[in-house]
């Protein structure tokens, strides 16, 4: 009954009378307090933390229970204080935010006096103001200061009215201090972390960052008398009773000290600290503005948008383990206005949040699917409108966001029989191969084929005749030795491939096959031919399914590994793998990924191959090379993460071994002292036996400690080696990017011209338009003309290639910033020298939040 408080359910007779729910629940809990007080306390606190959209209900429930049992009310306050202090110390953003809101609504129920809430606000305000002070603080940690102010402002829709009535002067002082803080903090504008490149000019918030926007909404709320329609106020129904309850002082909390400013100060040191701060205190949402404001904020006040966003984000955060319940709560918020458009925009804002969304994209896909089923008459239409709006602006959409949107849309359509109005997008066939809209449709269709089969997707686009040319070829494998050619050399290779195939069918061991390869192929035809024949033949055998592929690589991967030793040979192996699966990007990506897992090829070889001429030409027309590159970097990152976890685990084991040895030695010393003091021979004999056992225990613990220390040294060595390899990897990656881009970008790019990159304006199209825009091609042309003018480029294809490649530089830097920062000095010294084009440096630095 506590968990379902306020929900329409059988436990409460199927009614949604919140006040009656609270009255019923408090009566039941009051009778159980004497026997199960601690369990009820923990349950109520847990519900307030994990169902924060119902925090006002739980605060009112606590207020009523406080009338019957003052000890229970005091324990709630003490527990909330302990949890908030622990959250501040551990820098747990979500718990800090939720607990701040909970103590605010406890104040509304007269469990905590308003002076205590004001004191908490001022503690956070003082810390924030000190942090952004150039002399006393450390402005690199502004992210934490902004978060503290956000928490204070975020509490006011829930408790501003009570604070204004009971401590108006204190509230005015807090508001004045917040305004003073906003006047000295640095305005945040980071184009590399905005979903749309045109956000600088097309900013619907008038150039405000998220904190400034919230401040404006709170000021309007203050002018409106602190009345918020979207925040339920169940305590008002019990106000005459609650005012008679006892309030408990909320003890002062302390904020952690900010790190000292780096000395000597440099942009690298400041950048590292700022990156660390942003990781610990990330921005919660970046509004997309997919729909017109008249749709998303229809019949609601400005502050209501913030409140509803908080509800939706909290539900997705705390109910991520039970998606159906998550969708049910999101679809049934107790609001008096429609919020489907705002709900869709909030979900997409999370899906496309940079640098990383809180959860994987498949989670948001499942939530959207369940909402479409829960609200069949409204939400599917809204989602379709969002897709159309995003598609209209896909040219300006960040490349990483494009990839996420493609993955989401293909997964979403796979759950609805791949039904979509494809004829709306037929116009992309008239666009160039490199057009972002054409590439988007092409990649969605190719991802759909992965999730189903070619014939099914072909059937789904029958009404859009012509789109089939964007589908991948039906035949997945391109085995070059499938049919014997007339040429003699090809005939010999065909025979060798056939013989190798027979050896595999006869289940010869890898050692036997390797001996045959050395005698019959390498000795006669050379190393390159052997790689060609072996890789093509083995992968053709494994091309029937993923399990066939994995089995072949597990059994015969060592043959390919020995033939492909050395980076040049590894690149040949990757090239042959790409050729045989040239019509099946998924199999190519998985095969290369598996080869990296089995150490057949290295990440350096994959990076070098991705920047080969044949792949560079595809940078703006296909996601194929980028997918393979992302997989290699992900695998490297995961390997290092596993090594770090292993080191931490062994360090704990070492500490336990040291403590066990110290205890065993202390027991031994104590026994030796007793033996010396023993007077009788019997006692001496007993102590001698015990002494022998304790010495054995000391020897055993010393061996265990030595073993754990050796294990730690081995894992440290592996981690150090992996980090060194990682440094080489990123140096190679940026060098490849620089070499590829410098051929297309002009060298004399001025600072003024550089600012033109990504600042073009496009009018957001109405989602009501069912017809595709006839201006898309013209918009792309005008946009590319401006890019061309600023970079000395000529063909539109070349301009789009540069945009895509620079966009991938930003995306990859942004994603792996944590791994890049430790090596930035070496990267600067070896890559970002005076010869590096300014656009490349700007792309990397902006993605690292580093001053250019």
């Amino acid at each position: 009954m506590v968990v379902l408080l306020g929900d329409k359910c059988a436990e409460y007779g199927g009614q949604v009378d919140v006040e009656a729910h609270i009255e019923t629940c408090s009566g039941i809990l009051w009778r159980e307090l004497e026997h199960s007080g601690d369990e009820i306390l923990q349950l109520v606190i847990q519900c307030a933390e994990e169902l924060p959209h119902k925090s006002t209900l739980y605060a009112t429930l606590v207020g009523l229970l406080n009338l019957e049992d003052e000890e229970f009310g005091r324990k709630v306050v003490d527990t909330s204080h302990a949890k908030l202090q622990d959250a501040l110390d551990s820098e747990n953003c979500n718990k800090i935010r939720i607990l701040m809101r909970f103590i605010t609504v406890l104040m509304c129920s007269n469990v905590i006096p308003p002076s205590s809430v004001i004191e908490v606000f001022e503690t956070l305000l003082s810390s924030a103001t000190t942090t952004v002070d150039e002399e006393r603080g450390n402005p690199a940690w502004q992210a934490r200061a902004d978060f503290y102010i956000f928490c204070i402002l975020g509490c006011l829709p829930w408790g501003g009215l009570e604070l204004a009535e009971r401590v108006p002067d204190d509230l005015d002082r807090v508001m004045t201090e917040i305004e003073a803080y906003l006047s000295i903090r640095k305005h945040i504008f980071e184009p590399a972390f905005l979903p749309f490149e045109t956000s600088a000019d097309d900013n619907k918030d008038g150039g405000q960052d998220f904190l400034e926007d919230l401040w404006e909404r709170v000021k309007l709320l203050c002018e409106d008398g602190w009345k918020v329609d979207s925040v339920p106020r169940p305590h008002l129904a019990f106000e005459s009773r609650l005012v008679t309850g006892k309030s408990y002082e909320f003890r002062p909390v302390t904020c952690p000290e900010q790190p000292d400013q780096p000395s000597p100060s440099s942009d690298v040191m400041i950048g590292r600290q700022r990156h660390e701060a942003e990781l610990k205190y990330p921005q919660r949402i970046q509004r997309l503005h997919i729909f017109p404001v008249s749709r998303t904020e229809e019949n609601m006040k400005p502050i209501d948008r913030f409140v509803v966003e908080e509800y939706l984000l909290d539900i997705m955060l705390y109910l991520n383990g039970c998606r159906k319940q998550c969708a049910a709560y999101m679809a049934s918020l107790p609001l008096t206005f429609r919020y489907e458009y705002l709900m869709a925009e909030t979900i997409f804002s999370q899906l496309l949040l940079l640098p990383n969304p809180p959860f994987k994209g498949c989670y948001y896909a499942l939530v959207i699917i369940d909402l479409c089923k829960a609200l069949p008459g409204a939400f599917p239409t809204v989602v379709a409108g969002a897709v159309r709006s995003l598609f209209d602006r896909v040219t300006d959409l960040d490349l990483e966001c494009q990839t996420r949107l493609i993955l989401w849309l293909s997964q979403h359509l796979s759950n609805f029989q791949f039904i979509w109005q494809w004829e709306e997008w037929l116009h992309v066939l008239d666009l160039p191969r490199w057009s972002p809209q054409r590439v988007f449709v092409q990649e969605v269709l190719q991802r759909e084929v992965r999730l189903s089969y070619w014939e099914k997707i072909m059937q789904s686009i029958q009404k859009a005749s012509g789109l089939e040319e964007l589908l991948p070829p039906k035949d997945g494998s391109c085995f070059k030795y499938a049919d014997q050619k007339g040429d003699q050399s090809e005939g010999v290779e065909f025979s060798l491939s056939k013989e190798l195939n027979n050896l595999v069918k006869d289940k010869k061991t890898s050692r036997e096959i390797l001996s045959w390869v050395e005698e019959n192929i390498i000795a006669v035809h050379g190393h390159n031919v052997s790689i060609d024949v072996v890789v093509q033949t083995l992968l053709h055998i494994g091309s029937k399914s993923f399990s066939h592929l994995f089995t072949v690589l597990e059994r015969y991967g060592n043959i390919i590994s020995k033939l492909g030793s050395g980076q040049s040979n590894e690149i040949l192996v990757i090239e042959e793998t790409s050729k045989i699966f040239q019509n099946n990007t998924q199999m190519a990506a998985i095969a290369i990924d598996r080869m990296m897992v089995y150490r057949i090829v290295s990440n350096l070889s994959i990076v070098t191959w991705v920047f080969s001429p044949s792949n560079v030409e595809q940078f703006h027309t296909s996601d194929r090379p980028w997918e393979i590159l992302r997989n290699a970097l992900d695998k490297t990152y995961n390997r290092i993460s596993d090594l770090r976890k292993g080191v931490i685990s062994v360090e704990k084991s070492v500490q336990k071994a040291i403590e066990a040895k110290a205890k065993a030695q202390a027991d031994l010393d104590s026994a030796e002292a007793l033996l010396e003091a023993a007077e009788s021979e019997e006692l001496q004999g007993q102590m001698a036996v015990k002494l022998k056992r304790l010495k054995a225990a000391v020897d055993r613990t010393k061996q265990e400690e030595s073993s754990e220390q050796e294990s730690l040294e081995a894992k440290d060595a592996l981690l150090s080696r992996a980090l060194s390899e990682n440094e080489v990897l990123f140096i190679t990656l940026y060098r490849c990017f620089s070499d590829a881009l410098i051929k297309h970008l002009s060298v004399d790019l001025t600072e003024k011209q550089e600012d033109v990159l990504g600042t073009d304006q496009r009018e957001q199209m109405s989602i009501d338009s069912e017809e595709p825009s006839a201006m898309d091609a013209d918009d792309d042309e005008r946009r590319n003309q401006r890019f061309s003018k600023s970079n000395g480029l000529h063909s539109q294809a070349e301009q789009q290639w540069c945009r895509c490649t620079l966009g991938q530089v930003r995306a990859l830097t942004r994603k792996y910033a944590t791994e890049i920062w430790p090596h930035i000095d070496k990267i600067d010294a070896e890559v970002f020298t005076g010869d590096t084009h300014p656009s490349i440096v700007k792309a990397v630095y902006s993605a690292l939040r580093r001053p250019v």
Side-chain angles (χ1 to χ4, degrees):
M1 296 192 74
V2 175
V3 172
L4 297 175
L5 187 66
D7 299 344
K8 185 177 181 179
C9 56
E11 285 77 2
Y12 288 103
Q15 301 299 316
V16 194
D17 185 346
V18 174
E19 288 78 11
H21 282 206
I22 296 173
E23 188 77 66
T24 301
C25 190
S26 65
I28 294 174
L29 293 182
W30 173 66
R31 290 192 292 271
E32 298 294 332
L33 279 179
E34 183 178 353
H35 306 291
S36 308
D38 291 339
E39 290 84 352
I40 292 173
L41 170 67
Q42 295 302 322
L43 177 60
V44 171
I45 294 290
Q46 186 179 0
C47 286
E49 286 182 329
E50 299 184 17
L51 297 172
H53 60 289
K54 298 196 291 185
S55 59
T56 54
L57 279 62
Y58 293 114
T60 306
L61 178 64
V62 172
L64 292 179
L65 292 174
N66 181 49
L67 297 176
E68 308 295 339
D69 188 336
E70 293 183 355
E71 182 64 17
F72 179 81
R74 184 186 61 77
K75 286 183 177 180
V76 169
V77 174
D78 290 344
T79 303
S80 300
H81 175 274
K83 284 181 171 289
L84 178 58
Q85 185 60 65
D86 180 66
L88 287 167
D89 294 338
S90 61
E91 299 180 302
N92 188 326
C93 292
N94 289 314
K95 280 200 170 183
I96 295 171
R97 180 176 50 79
I98 295 302
L99 288 166
M100 288 277 292
R101 185 191 305 173
F102 186 53
I103 66 171
T104 301
V105 291
L106 284 176
M107 178 269 299
C108 298
S109 297
N110 202 39
V111 180
I112 295 176
S115 58
S116 293
V117 175
I118 292 293
E119 186 176 358
V120 174
F121 287 175
E122 290 186 328
T123 299
L124 269 63
L125 258 168
S126 175
S127 175
T129 305
T130 302
T131 298
V132 297
D133 186 273
E134 293 283 350
E135 297 180 359
R136 296 183 299 150
N138 187 352
W141 280 77
Q142 182 179 314
R144 182 167 71 184
D146 283 353
F147 171 74
Y148 286 169
I149 303 301
F150 168 81
C151 287
I152 297 171
L153 292 174
C155 290
L156 295 180
W158 278 265
L161 180 61
E162 280 72 19
L163 290 172
E165 290 176 349
R166 299 167 67 180
V167 284
D169 294 338
D170 292 342
L171 180 60
D172 289 343
R173 186 175 68 252
V174 168
M175 295 287 284
T176 302
E177 291 173 357
I178 292 175
E179 189 168 23
Y181 169 83
L182 291 170
S183 67
I184 62 174
R185 71 183 281 272
K186 183 180 179 182
H187 171 78
I188 296 175
F189 176 65
E190 298 171 328
F193 290 82
L194 298 177
F196 291 105
E197 291 183 5
T198 56
S199 295
D201 298 323
D202 194 27
N203 194 335
K204 301 298 186 298
D205 292 332
Q208 299 171 336
D209 61 31
F210 189 72
L211 189 62
E212 294 165 348
D213 171 77
L214 178 56
W215 169 242
E216 291 299 324
R217 294 174 189 269
V218 171
K219 284 201 300 183
L220 292 174
L221 174 63
C222 178
E223 294 170 3
D224 196 32
W226 300 101
K227 297 176 182 177
V228 187
D229 297 334
S230 52
V231 175
R233 310 180 69 78
H235 63 279
L236 294 179
F238 308 97
E239 188 172 15
S240 60
R241 294 161 58 186
L242 292 174
V243 294
T244 63
K246 184 177 180 180
S247 298
Y248 308 93
E249 292 295 328
F250 194 84
R251 299 192 309 277
V253 294
T254 57
C255 298
E257 295 291 333
Q258 76 269 3
D260 295 331
Q261 291 195 37
S263 180
S265 180
S266 67
D267 66 320
V268 172
M269 299 300 294
I270 293 173
R272 284 175 179 167
Q273 286 202 0
R274 186 180 178 191
H275 173 71
E276 183 183 353
E278 294 286 352
L279 282 179
K280 291 183 177 181
Y281 300 92
Q283 184 170 316
R284 202 167 186 221
I285 190 173
Q286 177 67 57
R287 295 192 181 109
L288 282 180
H289 301 294
I290 301 174
F291 305 109
V293 176
S294 59
R295 291 288 181 89
T296 55
E297 300 185 20
E298 182 181 4
N299 297 325
M300 67 174 76
K301 299 175 183 177
I303 196 63
D304 287 323
R305 174 175 186 133
F306 167 76
V307 172
V308 176
E309 285 174 343
E310 286 290 289
Y311 286 154
L312 297 171
L313 295 176
D314 288 339
I315 291 171
M316 285 191 287
L317 173 65
Y318 286 103
L319 296 178
N320 67 84
C322 36
R323 59 186 180 86
K324 291 189 178 296
Q325 192 173 3
C326 171
Y329 273 124
M330 292 177 72
S332 58
L333 292 177
L335 302 173
T336 58
F337 45 80
R338 291 188 59 187
Y339 61 96
E340 292 89 353
Y341 287 97
L342 178 55
M343 182 160 59
E345 194 168 281
T346 302
I347 296 172
F348 280 105
S349 296
Q350 289 294 98
L351 174 66
L352 304 181
L353 183 64
L354 297 173
N356 297 301
F359 301 100
K360 292 182 178 180
C362 59
Y363 170 59
Y364 301 105
L366 293 173
V367 170
I368 292 174
I369 290 167
D370 288 331
L371 284 171
C372 287
K373 295 176 181 178
L375 302 170
F379 203 66
T381 305
V382 175
V383 172
V387 173
R388 294 189 181 99
S389 179
L390 289 168
F391 178 74
D392 290 338
R393 302 175 65 191
V394 75
T395 302
D396 295 328
L397 190 62
D398 180 88
L399 286 180
E400 185 179 350
C401 292
Q402 287 184 32
T403 302
R404 292 186 202 169
L405 189 62
I406 288 167
L407 294 175
W408 165 78
L409 182 58
S410 58
Q411 181 183 352
H412 180 78
L413 295 179
S414 72
N415 284 271
F416 294 96
Q417 302 179 358
F418 299 99
I419 296 173
W420 180 252
Q421 299 296 323
W422 292 107
E423 54 271 21
E424 295 180 4
W425 291 351
L426 267 175
H427 69 283
V428 303
L429 296 173
D430 300 326
L431 300 177
R433 289 179 60 249
W434 47 263
S435 169
Q437 289 191 337
R438 181 184 175 111
V439 173
F440 180 86
V441 177
Q442 168 189 298
E443 293 297 328
V444 169
L445 290 173
Q446 292 190 3
R447 291 284 178 172
E448 285 188 347
V449 172
R450 298 189 189 189
L451 297 171
S452 182
Y453 51 95
W454 193 90
E455 290 80 6
K456 174 68 176 178
I457 306 307
M458 182 65 184
Q459 182 183 0
S460 72
I461 59 174
Q462 281 183 343
K463 294 183 180 179
S465 178
L467 281 184
E468 59 268 14
E469 73 177 76
L470 299 182
L471 286 173
K474 186 176 180 180
D475 297 327
S477 175
C478 296
F479 183 42
K480 66 192 298 184
Y481 303 120
D483 296 306
Q484 188 172 2
K485 309 295 181 180
D487 187 89
Q488 184 178 0
S489 63
E490 292 180 346
V492 172
E493 293 171 4
F494 174 85
S495 300
L496 292 170
S497 174
K498 186 174 182 180
E499 189 172 351
L500 175 58
N501 188 53
N502 291 333
L503 291 173
V504 174
K505 285 183 177 179
D506 293 339
K507 296 186 178 179
K508 299 294 183 181
T509 65
S510 60
R511 180 176 298 179
E512 291 173 327
I513 294 177
L514 182 60
S515 299
W516 177 86
V517 169
E518 291 173 347
E519 295 173 3
N520 295 275
I521 306 181
I522 297 177
V524 180
H525 303 283
H527 204 84
N528 290 357
V529 174
S530 68
I531 292 177
D532 189 324
V533 172
V534 171
V535 173
Q536 283 271 338
T537 305
L538 292 179
L539 292 184
H540 175 65
I541 295 171
S543 64
K544 295 180 181 179
S545 67
F546 296 144
S547 57
H548 281 75
L549 176 63
F550 297 162
T551 300
V552 166
L553 290 177
E554 286 173 2
R555 290 181 180 176
Y556 306 109
N558 61 327
I559 300 174
I560 303 175
S561 181
K562 289 184 179 180
L563 293 176
S565 60
Q567 185 169 327
S568 59
N569 291 327
E570 288 180 4
I571 292 173
L572 287 176
V573 170
I574 299 170
E575 181 64 25
E576 289 303 324
T577 304
S578 177
K579 285 179 180 178
I580 192 171
F581 294 127
Q582 60 184 316
N583 292 339
N584 192 330
T585 300
Q586 185 179 26
M587 285 294 283
I590 290 176
I592 294 172
D593 184 72
R594 278 285 145 184
M595 287 180 176
M596 183 176 167
V597 171
Y598 297 140
R599 304 299 178 99
I600 298 172
V601 299
S602 68
N603 50 15
L604 283 176
S605 298
I606 295 174
V607 169
T608 305
W609 173 81
V610 165
F611 285 89
S612 61
S614 59
N615 288 321
V616 168
E617 294 175 357
Q618 304 178 50
F619 277 6
H620 59 320
T621 60
S622 173
D623 190 53
R624 180 187 177 100
W626 300 122
E627 180 182 359
I628 293 171
L629 179 60
R630 288 194 299 267
N631 287 347
L633 296 176
D634 282 342
K635 194 68 67 178
T636 304
Y637 173 76
N638 292 337
R639 187 179 295 168
I640 291 176
S641 297
D642 290 342
L643 286 172
R644 286 194 178 114
K645 291 176 183 177
V647 169
I648 293 172
S649 177
V650 176
E651 285 177 343
K652 292 180 180 178
S653 298
V654 169
Q655 185 60 35
K656 288 181 180 178
I658 292 173
E659 292 173 357
K661 187 187 75 171
K663 184 177 183 303
Q665 186 63 50
D667 291 343
L668 178 61
D669 294 341
S670 177
E672 288 176 344
L674 290 174
L675 179 61
E676 292 177 1
E679 297 179 355
S680 66
E681 292 183 1
E682 182 182 356
L683 184 57
Q684 289 178 352
Q686 292 176 356
M687 293 306 301
V689 173
K690 183 178 181 180
L691 204 62
K692 184 178 179 181
R693 187 179 72 250
L694 290 175
K695 285 181 179 179
V698 169
D699 292 338
R700 186 176 64 253
T701 55
K702 285 182 178 179
Q703 290 177 358
E704 290 175 356
E705 182 193 3
S706 177
S707 176
E708 295 293 347
Q709 288 287 3
E710 290 175 1
S711 178
L712 179 59
E713 290 173 3
K715 288 189 176 294
D716 276 334
L718 287 174
L719 179 58
S720 299
R721 179 182 173 185
L723 292 175
S724 298
E725 292 174 352
N726 207 31
E727 180 180 78
V728 176
L729 174 66
F730 282 112
I731 289 173
T732 303
L733 177 64
Y734 285 125
R735 188 172 287 143
C736 288
F737 268 122
S738 182
D739 292 343
L741 280 162
I742 202 66
K743 299 174 183 177
H744 298 270
L745 295 171
S746 65
V747 180
D748 57 344
L749 188 70
T750 65
E751 186 67 27
K752 183 177 180 180
Q753 290 172 331
E754 189 178 339
D755 290 337
V756 176
L757 300 182
T759 59
D760 307 280
Q761 297 185 11
R762 283 169 58 104
E763 294 183 1
Q764 180 178 357
M765 298 182 60
S766 171
I767 64 167
D768 296 325
S769 175
E770 296 295 327
E771 296 297 326
S773 171
M775 300 296 291
D776 287 332
D778 293 338
D779 285 346
D780 286 347
E781 183 176 354
R782 286 196 300 271
R783 193 169 187 266
N784 285 323
Q785 284 175 354
R786 293 187 66 188
F787 188 89
S788 173
K789 186 177 179 181
S790 66
N791 289 277
L793 303 177
H794 300 289
S795 75
Q796 293 183 23
E798 187 179 23
Q799 296 155 20
Q800 182 61 22
W801 183 93
C802 288
R803 285 186 177 277
C804 287
T805 308
L806 283 171
Q808 292 291 350
V809 172
R810 282 193 297 271
L812 294 174
T813 304
R814 199 168 48 210
K815 185 175 182 179
Y816 301 105
T818 302
E819 298 301 321
I820 292 170
W821 268 113
H823 312 300
I824 195 65
D825 292 326
K826 193 76 173 287
I827 294 172
D828 282 343
E830 297 198 16
V831 182
F832 300 141
T833 59
D835 298 334
T836 307
H837 195 279
S839 291
I840 303 171
V841 177
K842 182 178 180 180
V844 174
Y845 282 19
S846 63
L848 292 173
R849 293 188 172 102
R850 178 182 176 184
V852 180

